Amino acid sequence: MQVTLFSPAKVNLFLAVTGRRADGFHDLVSVVAPLDFGDELVAEAGDGRRETGGSRFSLTCDHPEVPTDGSNLILRAAEAFAAATGWNTPVHFRLTKRIPPGAGLGGGSSNAVAALRALNQLSGGLLVASRLREVAAKLGSDCALFLADAPVVMRGRGDRVEPLPAPATARLRGRRVLLFKPSFGISTPWAYQRLIARGGDYLPLGEAENQLAAWVGGEARAEELLANNMEPAAFEKYVALPLLLAKLRREFGAVARMSGSGSACYTLLSDNQASDPLVALIRACWGAGAFVQEARLS
Ligand code: C5P
C-alpha cells in the first residue's frame, strides 16, 4: 500500500522576532502562507526488504544534496510517529525535492509533516488531530503551521498556530508570488546567532501585535503586511540580497522581502503582471545558479 502527498513550501509574509526565550529559542509573531509549489512524498508500506541501518524506515531522494540518513526530518518524523503509536510496519519514502534547502521556505518541516500524515493514513489514523499537532511541533519550529493548510498566525517559537480571520485570508489566497534564491543558502541557527549578536533588531511584542492587528483588522493589500526583522542580520553578510531587492524596488516598484531566515526572497505579483522582466533582472544579478519559481499563496 502506498500514499502520495504534496509537501508545500511556505513564505513568511510578516515576521517579527520579538526576543529570546529561556529555552534558547526565540519568540516570534509571523504570518505564514503555504504555496501551491512544493515537494512530493511517496510513502510505501512494505515488508521491510528495503530496510537499512537497522531502521524499518528508509528514504531515497532525487536531489543529491538532501541527506537520506537519520538526520533527515522525514525519518525523524517516522521514528516519532512509531514512538507515539507503537505502529511497526516498515515504510520506504521517496522524496521528489523541488524546494531548495537553506532557503527559509520550510522544505524540511513540510516534508516532516507530510511524512506524519502519510504514516497516519497508512496506519488507519492512529493519531487524532491534536496528537498529530503535538508530535509535529516537537520536530521543528515550522512544523505546526503545515498542518493548517491555510495562511496562519504563528506565535511562541512557532508552535502556537491559529488561522487568520477569513477577510484577511481572502486578501492573501491566490496571490501570485515570485520566489528567488541565490545559489547559496543561509543556516537558520546562524541567522538567529547573528540576531543575538546584533542585539537591537528585536521588535517588542506589543508593537508586533499592533502592526499585525492593524493589517488584519483593516483592508490594506497583502503588500502592506510584508515585513521581516531577520533581514538586517542576513543582509549585513549576504549583500547580494539587499542589492537585488533595492533594484527590484527601483526598477519595478516591487516590494520584495526575505522569507524566514533566508536566503530565499519573494515578491508579490499582480494578476496580469509579466514576471519576465523581474526574472531577467534576478538572473542578471544572481546568475544562472539562482533558483526562480512562480507560485501562488494557497
Ligand atoms: O526548530 P528549528 O529546527 O527550525 O530551529 C532551528 C534553529 O533555529 C534552532 O536550533 C534555534 O537556534 C533557531 N530558532 C530560534 N527560535 C525559533 C526557531 C528557531 O532560535 N523560534
Side-chain angles (χ1 to χ4, degrees):
M1 203 162 91
Q2 75 173 43
V3 294
T4 302
L5 292 185
F6 176 60
S7 177
K10 59 87 173 161
V11 286
N12 296 79
L13 298 165
F14 177 86
L15 174 57
V17 183
T18 58
R20 279 184 89 182
R21 299 155 50 111
D23 64 4
F25 282 80
H26 287 78
D27 275 319
L28 46 87
V29 178
S30 186
V31 174
V32 192
L35 301 175
D36 66 356
F37 161 78
D39 299 338
E40 185 184 271
L41 184 67
V42 178
E44 187 183 356
D47 56 13
R49 265 175 299 169
R50 289 179 198 258
E51 145 185 348
T52 49
S55 167
R56 59 185 174 279
F57 301 114
S58 56
L59 169 67
T60 48
C61 178
D62 63 339
H63 191 303
E65 281 163 39
V66 173
T68 52
D69 62 8
S71 68
N72 191 298
L73 266 187
I74 290 173
L75 296 182
R76 283 171 42 202
E79 296 296 348
F81 182 87
T85 60
W87 196 62
N88 61 8
T89 304
V91 173
H92 180 69
F93 294 97
R94 283 196 309 277
L95 176 65
T96 305
K97 194 77 198 159
R98 301 188 189 100
I99 309 170
L105 297 175
S109 304
S110 174
N111 292 167
V113 169
L116 288 179
R117 281 180 153 160
L119 295 183
N120 213 28
Q121 283 185 30
L122 289 170
S123 69
L126 287 177
L127 286 185
V128 294
S130 59
R131 281 287 287 141
L132 200 60
R133 274 198 299 276
E134 277 172 32
V135 176
K138 285 200 191 113
L139 288 165
S141 307
D142 276 348
C143 286
L145 75 96
F146 284 107
L147 285 167
D149 297 320
V152 294
V153 182
M154 244 169 55
R155 293 188 173 86
R157 60 166 267 218
D159 51 328
R160 283 166 39 215
V161 168
E162 62 177 24
L164 271 178
T169 299
R171 282 180 275 154
L172 301 179
R173 267 217 167 119
R175 285 295 310 264
R176 290 170 68 208
V177 182
L178 186 65
L179 297 173
F180 46 102
K181 176 191 165 285
S183 53
F184 56 84
I186 295 180
S187 138
T188 302
W190 175 87
Y192 277 103
Q193 281 307 315
R194 286 305 306 154
L195 212 57
I196 294 167
R198 288 168 55 89
D201 294 337
Y202 302 118
L203 188 67
L205 178 62
E207 245 173 82
E209 291 289 1
N210 284 345
Q211 281 183 23
L212 177 60
W215 185 84
V216 169
E219 289 177 359
R221 302 180 313 152
E223 280 82 350
E224 309 298 322
L225 174 66
L226 307 189
N228 183 350
N229 69 345
M230 295 194 82
E231 283 179 351
F235 287 6
E236 179 183 60
K237 175 169 181 186
Y238 299 107
V239 294
L241 275 62
L243 285 176
L244 175 56
L245 298 199
K247 266 179 182 275
L248 285 166
R249 184 181 278 271
R250 218 170 32 243
E251 294 185 24
F252 302 104
V255 182
R257 287 273 168 230
M258 186 173 82
S259 179
S261 57
S263 61
C265 299
Y266 66 91
T267 187
L268 300 175
L269 302 168
S270 51
D271 275 349
N272 46 13
Q273 183 180 359
S275 59
D276 305 8
L278 284 82
V279 173
L281 178 60
I282 293 164
R283 293 249 177 252
C285 289
W286 286 358
F291 161 89
V292 185
Q293 176 69 46
E294 221 191 292
R296 281 183 193 269
L297 302 180
S298 56

